[in-house]
Amino acid sequence: MLDERAKTLLKTLVERYIADGQPVGSRTLSRASGLELSPATIRNVMADLEELGLIVSPHTSAGRVPTARGYRVFVDTMLTTRQLEAESMLPQLLAEVGQREALQPDQPQRVIAQAASLLSNLSSFVGVVTAPRKSSVFRHIEFLRLGDRRVLVILVAPDGDVQNRVIITAHDHTQPELVAATNFLNTHYAGLSIDDVRERLKTEVQALSDDIAALMRAAVQVGSEALAESEDQVVVSGERNLLGVQDLHHDMRSLRDMFDVFEQKTQLMRLLEGSSRAEGVRIFIGGESRVVPFEALSVVSAPYEVDGQVVGTLGVIGPTRMPYDRMIRIVDITAKLVGNALSQR
């Protein structure tokens, strides 16, 4: 536990370092903290903070910089963010990056791409957004004959999302046969999840005609493929912004590893999916996330909702020396904007 004097000095040191990027000395702390302490007393407190692993002296500098643990204490116990509504904060943020409008609710994939770009532009770091998870329930299914043994399967989800796939059937079907199969399946299976349909088919397939059973299996496969594709979609924007971060210049190897994470995206999905199970904004500092295992990088993330249901996650990846209060507001506001845009579809 830190006493109030130590908390004030640590808070001041972190804020000064975030603002200036230079090791903070006792003289600067004395002026900036507002505490009437002697330089010797401040040095003693800094020695205690260093012993606790909250600050460190880089090289031979007389000043100190926060460690990942120091940032964590700062974020958890000392950070104060201004509680501003998204509507009042948004015009100011958009003006900073020269954007008049953002997140037009025309196509979900475009909204996600716009959101990743917006996060990157507002933060000057990396923006990441997972695409909305698709519903596993279908509202309507339809089969259309395209030609010899070629059938177009159309799957419509409750939110209006449409998935199309061309399948090759065992033998040719007439359009009246496909219409009959369409009517049967919509009557008996519409509103069920893909998993429920798959389970029912295991017991009911004997009672179905071969044609309908085969088409139903094909429809289940189409739905499963669509879900699998939606679970792998993550949009990353602004990776090159990290190249301009002064704190990261000395560790190009970690930067290369980080770019590999951006390329593969699987690890990012794992991190963001974990964040979607939490309420509000989450902050991972240094190697805490294990998905972005770099001491010099932090992640600020938040889930976004559509019609009251969490369907995805977004966030900012940047240096540990980031203005966390601003990043929290940017991520929180963008999450609300994405949810609102997608709910208007």
Side-chain angles (χ1 to χ4, degrees):
M1 296 293 292
L2 301 177
D3 59 28
E4 290 304 315
R5 183 175 62 182
K7 286 181 179 179
T8 299
L9 290 177
L10 177 61
K11 181 176 184 291
T12 303
L13 185 147
V14 173
E15 290 175 341
R16 293 298 301 180
Y17 184 65
I18 288 175
D20 301 334
Q22 298 296 324
V24 183
S26 57
R27 183 175 299 178
T28 301
L29 277 180
S30 178
R31 291 196 305 265
S33 66
L35 298 177
E36 295 182 359
L37 300 174
S38 67
T41 300
I42 290 180
R43 285 194 294 270
N44 288 336
V45 175
M46 291 179 72
D48 292 339
L49 294 174
E50 190 166 6
E51 187 174 344
L52 291 171
L54 302 178
I55 62 175
V56 66
S57 176
H59 310 300
T60 57
S61 169
R64 303 292 192 276
V65 301
T67 62
R69 185 177 180 185
Y71 281 119
R72 171 51 63 192
V73 173
F74 170 76
V75 166
D76 287 348
T77 65
M78 306 171 193
L79 184 65
T80 55
T81 59
R82 291 178 293 166
Q83 298 299 316
L84 296 177
E85 291 295 327
E87 290 77 7
S88 62
M89 182 85 178
L90 181 62
Q92 172 192 341
L93 291 175
L94 292 181
E96 292 179 21
V97 295
Q99 290 183 245
R100 295 182 180 179
E101 299 180 39
L103 310 187
Q104 298 303 305
D106 46 4
Q107 294 292 329
Q109 197 57 40
R110 185 176 177 185
V111 170
I112 298 308
Q114 288 175 327
S117 178
L118 183 63
L119 286 167
S120 175
N121 290 336
L122 293 176
S123 68
S124 297
F125 302 132
V126 181
V128 291
V129 187
T130 63
R133 292 188 292 273
K134 296 184 184 300
S135 171
S136 64
V137 176
F138 74 87
R139 185 183 69 195
H140 180 79
I141 192 169
E142 191 166 348
F143 300 102
L144 296 176
R145 186 177 186 275
L146 297 179
D148 186 25
R149 297 176 53 208
R150 295 174 67 248
V151 174
L152 176 65
V153 182
I154 304 173
L155 222 60
V156 183
D159 62 1
D161 184 68
V162 178
Q163 292 293 321
N164 299 321
R165 290 290 191 284
V166 176
I167 61 173
I168 306 300
T169 57
H171 62 272
D172 197 20
H173 293 281
T174 65
Q175 187 56 43
E177 289 174 337
L178 295 178
V179 170
T182 294
N183 293 337
F184 178 86
L185 297 176
N186 284 324
T187 299
H188 294 86
Y189 293 96
L192 297 178
S193 71
I194 297 298
D195 289 338
D196 288 340
V197 173
R198 185 183 291 110
E199 287 301 312
R200 284 185 56 174
L201 278 178
K202 291 179 180 178
T203 57
E204 298 177 5
V205 69
Q206 299 299 325
L208 302 175
S209 71
D210 291 342
D211 290 344
I212 291 179
L215 290 170
M216 193 66 239
R217 289 194 189 95
V220 168
Q221 183 63 29
V222 168
S224 299
E225 290 173 359
L227 286 174
E229 288 179 5
S230 71
E231 291 171 355
D232 291 334
Q233 292 181 350
V234 56
V235 179
V236 182
S237 178
E239 302 97 312
R240 290 188 173 276
N241 286 341
L242 294 184
L243 297 176
V245 176
Q246 180 180 351
D247 298 24
L248 303 178
H249 283 171
H250 67 283
D251 196 356
M252 294 306 294
R253 180 175 180 179
S254 289
L255 268 181
R256 285 194 295 270
D257 291 343
M258 188 70 242
F259 274 80
D260 288 341
V261 172
F262 293 144
E263 286 294 325
Q264 296 171 1
K265 296 185 179 179
T266 304
Q267 291 176 288
L268 285 178
M269 283 295 301
R270 195 178 306 131
L271 168 65
L272 295 174
E273 284 302 311
S275 297
S276 71
R277 293 189 288 272
E279 293 185 6
V281 177
R282 293 190 69 184
I283 301 174
F284 301 92
I285 298 173
E288 288 178 342
S289 70
R290 299 190 180 184
V291 174
V292 184
F294 308 112
E295 284 296 314
L297 291 173
S298 291
V299 181
V300 180
S301 64
Y304 63 87
E305 300 180 354
V306 174
D307 299 325
Q309 297 293 320
V310 172
V311 297
T313 317
L314 52 78
V316 166
I317 299 175
T320 51
R321 189 177 71 84
M322 66 165 66
Y324 288 96
D325 56 345
R326 175 180 168 83
M327 295 304 112
I328 290 171
R329 294 198 301 273
I330 287 172
V331 168
D332 186 42
I333 289 171
T334 306
K336 291 181 173 64
L337 292 174
V338 171
N340 290 340
L342 295 177
S343 295
Q344 294 174 33
R345 292 181 59 216

